[in-house]
Amino acid sequence: LLERYHIPTVVFLNKMDLPGADKAALLAQLRDQLSGGCVDFSLPPAQLHEEAAALGDEALLERYLERGSLTEAELSHLVGQRQLIPCWFGSALRDQGVDALLDGLARYVPAPEYGSRFGALVYKVSRDGQGTRLTWLKVTGGVLKVKDILSNRRPGLEEAALWSDKADQLRLYSGDKYELTEAAPAGTLCAVTGLSHARPGDALGAQAALPAPALEPVLTCQVLFDRDPHTVLPLLRQLEEEDPQLHLCWQEQTGQLFLQVMGEVQLEVLTRLARERFGLELSFGPGAILYRETIAAPVIGIGHFEPLRHYAEVHLLLEPAPRGSGLTFASACSTDQLDLNWQRLVLTHLAEREHPGVLTGSPITDMKITLIAGRAHDKHTEGGDFRQATYRAVRQGLMQAESILLEPWYDFRLEVPSAQVGRAMSDLERMGGQYDPPAAAGEETVLTGRAPVAALRDYPRQVAAYTRGLGRLQYSPGGYRPCADQQAVTAALAYDPERDAANPSGSVFCDHGSGTVVDWRKVPAMAHVDSGLRLDAPVRQQSAPPAPRSAPASGLAGEKELMSIFEQTYGKVERRSFQPQRPPARRELADSYSIREQQLGPDYLLVAGYNIIFAWPELQPVARDNLDAARKMLLDILANYRAFRGGEIILV
């Protein structure tokens, strides 16, 4: 993880006062198992510089040969690049080596450089003794002041803010005591009150968003308790805010609560926290594997939502992506067909939730979803209409596609006595795992490789049993791979996508003045828009034939009937919204295709200043006395609006 996040690292080896502590052996072990850049910084300066110069940097080696030593700045640069990992030895209990460690941190660890624009990173959420929510953050640029408006951004959606809150207090803690401050400059660690939506890992201001977590939950289990669920759920939500790896899933229909966790140790910690914080006794049902789903080939999904006085249609291209890439979203839809604000809304709805697959109801992943066409109505379209159309488009595309079930794998390191290596290799082959050739490590043999999580869940107990406690098994998440026994797992979970009322795959069309649900198989024939894109992708067998092209809601006759209904209801409609749209001229695509990525710019708001000033009741009295004061008040209002909503404001 330190390597993943490019964090300069130092090592302090404690308890060196114990009998048998061997500095040379420990340093060799560090270099073998952690990094070859580990260097003993308690060495004399000449020997320290010699070891640092021998790390493989030719330019550094030449400077050392010329001068016979290295400067502190050169050593600090190596530490910042993670080429050099300083190591100190001592005993904290006896205050041995601690001063050398602190002095080395000040001399050799490079100080970060901060920018002038405000930025911060949320790293913790907790509560004080009075129950006040504390958001802990590090200021990574500029200055944070009391009453500043803070918001986070979602990558890939043009910096669209998910939440905006005001910083009520800035607290500088020392133990349980704190001091209030009016401003926190870059480099400050502080606790902020008033942020009710911030989560660990949120990037604020100019701070770049963190990459996706390297560790993700791979198990799910039911939470059992003896209180009213509506009392327990808010309490557990507090723990979920504090630990970003906890994922609670409340099923309203069954009244059951499920929890996604990393393993049994996390369940033990959660049980203890619930008991100490809330006096709540928790138990857990049997765990199950968290699967994911993806698709084998590109497919186009269509969603239409048109009950009375509502209208939205969305066409999405779903494409498989490399393993571990997650979900990415893009737009290739012309603004002549669908306005930019509606396109952004579709992208927001794609990213705001996990979309379940159609094999087991597990979340989809490793896909690129592109908006290729859509349609709105000038009068009847609302924001929620595109949410429904987007969800249904994703679902309709998945129903057509050839879905692949993915199961989690672990990367493992297994150390066993040499006499038991045959048993270990046999077990791994039986599990369907993969391992590298065994490596000898003294009297033990080390096996490294990969295996499914389902097979390794109970294996640590077996290792402890057949090695009589001498074996050690360590593993870390190794991503998702196609499930070896997809058919059996799918049959065991018995998920029926067409009976999932919370995730409908059909669309809603207007028929004789009322909304009618249309089966997902018939939606392409009744769509009002043609994206012009054709795919030669495998489609699952359809149990019902597609509807004829002369469906009531499509074609000229259906459009006339629909127009007549609207005119009877709302009066004469002088617009061409309901005329059949001519499909864009695009060549037919068979084996290959390409889509033009469309760069979405910021939102613009044009404000007629004097009209607003003399029309706004709060500004009219001020303008009568002092027009300049009214202008400044309007500037303040628009500045606050921009802080909440983002985008660009042009004040005339």
Side-chain angles (χ1 to χ4, degrees), residues 255-292:
Q256 294 177 327
L257 180 63
F258 290 87
L259 181 70
Q260 298 179 11
V261 293
M262 299 295 299
E264 294 183 1
V265 174
Q266 194 175 17
L267 292 179
E268 295 176 4
V269 173
L270 178 63
T271 303
R272 178 178 57 81
L273 284 176
R275 183 185 303 115
E276 294 177 354
R277 294 269 296 273
F278 313 121
L280 180 63
E281 292 295 337
L282 298 180
S283 58
F284 304 94
I289 301 296
L290 275 175
Y291 294 96
R292 295 285 189 270

Side-chain angles (χ1 to χ4, degrees), residues 471-598:
R472 293 184 295 276
L473 176 61
Q474 303 171 3
Y475 42 76
S476 60
Y480 279 78
R481 300 189 181 190
C483 183
D485 198 2
Q486 174 174 316
Q487 187 173 359
V489 173
T490 304
L493 294 176
Y495 175 74
D496 186 351
E498 300 200 41
R499 300 184 65 181
D500 188 349
N503 298 283
S505 55
S507 289
V508 180
F509 286 84
C510 185
D511 185 15
H512 294 86
S514 63
T516 302
V517 178
V518 175
D519 186 83
W520 63 269
R521 301 169 183 85
K522 303 178 182 180
V523 170
M526 300 183 64
H528 292 180
V529 176
D530 187 352
S531 66
L533 184 63
R534 304 291 182 265
L535 301 177
D536 186 15
V539 181
R540 297 195 311 181
Q541 287 296 112
Q542 299 180 355
S543 57
R549 192 60 188 171
S550 60
S554 64
L556 190 58
E559 298 292 348
K560 289 182 177 179
E561 181 181 0
L562 190 60
M563 176 63 76
S564 174
I565 293 173
F566 271 100
E567 289 182 348
Q568 292 175 13
T569 307
Y570 304 107
K572 187 68 174 177
V573 179
E574 297 294 341
R575 61 174 62 88
R576 303 178 63 187
S577 301
F578 291 95
Q579 292 191 7
Q581 181 173 346
R582 180 177 302 172
R586 300 187 186 180
R587 65 181 180 89
E588 296 292 328
L589 302 177
D591 298 329
S592 64
Y593 56 90
S594 62
I595 296 179
R596 177 179 62 84
E597 294 284 352
Q598 181 174 335

Side-chain angles (χ1 to χ4, degrees), residues 389-503:
T390 301
Y391 291 174
R392 293 169 189 268
V394 173
R395 194 71 169 175
Q396 198 265 348
L398 294 174
M399 293 296 290
Q400 300 177 70
E402 178 187 349
S403 296
I404 300 175
L405 186 66
L406 304 176
E407 65 175 341
W409 279 51
Y410 278 145
D411 293 330
F412 67 82
R413 175 187 172 91
L414 176 60
E415 302 176 18
V416 296
S418 299
Q420 278 85 36
V421 67
R423 161 72 185 273
M425 295 171 66
S426 176
D427 289 344
L428 293 173
E429 291 176 357
R430 174 178 49 82
M431 296 173 186
Q434 305 166 359
Y435 56 87
D436 301 326
E443 298 181 356
E444 296 181 339
T445 300
V446 178
L447 291 171
T448 58
R450 300 144 295 282
V453 170
L456 285 177
R457 284 179 59 190
D458 299 325
Y459 195 57
R461 293 192 181 94
Q462 299 181 34
V463 171
Y466 72 72
T467 63
R468 295 178 175 84
L470 300 178
R472 293 184 295 276
L473 176 61
Q474 303 171 3
Y475 42 76
S476 60
Y480 279 78
R481 300 189 181 190
C483 183
D485 198 2
Q486 174 174 316
Q487 187 173 359
V489 173
T490 304
L493 294 176
Y495 175 74
D496 186 351
E498 300 200 41
R499 300 184 65 181
D500 188 349
N503 298 283

Side-chain angles (χ1 to χ4, degrees), residues 3-168:
E3 175 68 29
R4 173 185 173 88
Y5 294 108
H6 309 291
I7 298 177
T9 306
V10 301
V11 177
F12 181 78
L13 290 99
N14 196 23
K15 303 182 184 296
M16 291 301 296
D17 59 327
L18 297 180
D22 187 342
K23 179 190 293 187
L26 289 171
L27 190 60
Q29 199 174 7
L30 287 174
R31 289 173 174 171
D32 179 56
Q33 297 188 16
L34 292 184
S35 171
C38 293
V39 173
D40 181 5
F41 265 56
S42 62
L43 295 172
Q47 188 177 353
L48 172 62
H49 296 168
E50 180 180 350
E51 291 214 10
L55 292 176
D57 190 322
E58 295 183 3
L60 193 68
L61 182 58
E62 290 179 1
R63 289 196 293 270
Y64 172 74
L65 294 176
E66 291 175 0
R67 302 193 305 257
S69 64
L70 299 174
T71 64
E72 287 187 3
E74 290 170 336
L75 294 176
S76 177
H77 176 74
L78 289 176
V79 173
Q81 297 297 315
R82 290 185 50 83
Q83 296 179 7
L84 181 62
I85 298 181
C87 299
W88 284 275
F89 300 80
S91 171
L93 180 64
R94 302 182 184 278
D95 199 18
Q96 298 174 1
V98 177
D99 289 340
L101 169 66
L102 298 177
D103 179 63
L105 290 174
R107 295 172 60 186
Y108 300 113
V109 177
E113 298 181 0
Y114 300 111
S116 58
R117 295 178 57 195
F118 168 73
L121 187 65
V122 179
Y123 65 89
K124 177 182 174 183
V125 171
S126 65
R127 282 172 171 77
D128 62 12
Q130 287 71 41
T132 303
R133 191 180 195 269
L134 301 178
T135 301
W136 299 75
L137 53 82
K138 179 175 182 178
V139 183
T140 57
V143 179
L144 173 62
K145 299 179 180 179
V146 175
K147 304 305 180 183
D148 278 353
I149 302 298
L150 303 180
S151 67
N152 71 336
R153 300 169 298 155
R154 177 168 296 194
L157 290 184
E158 304 301 326
E159 303 185 357
L162 296 177
W163 56 261
S164 295
D165 287 322
K166 183 184 294 185
D168 291 337

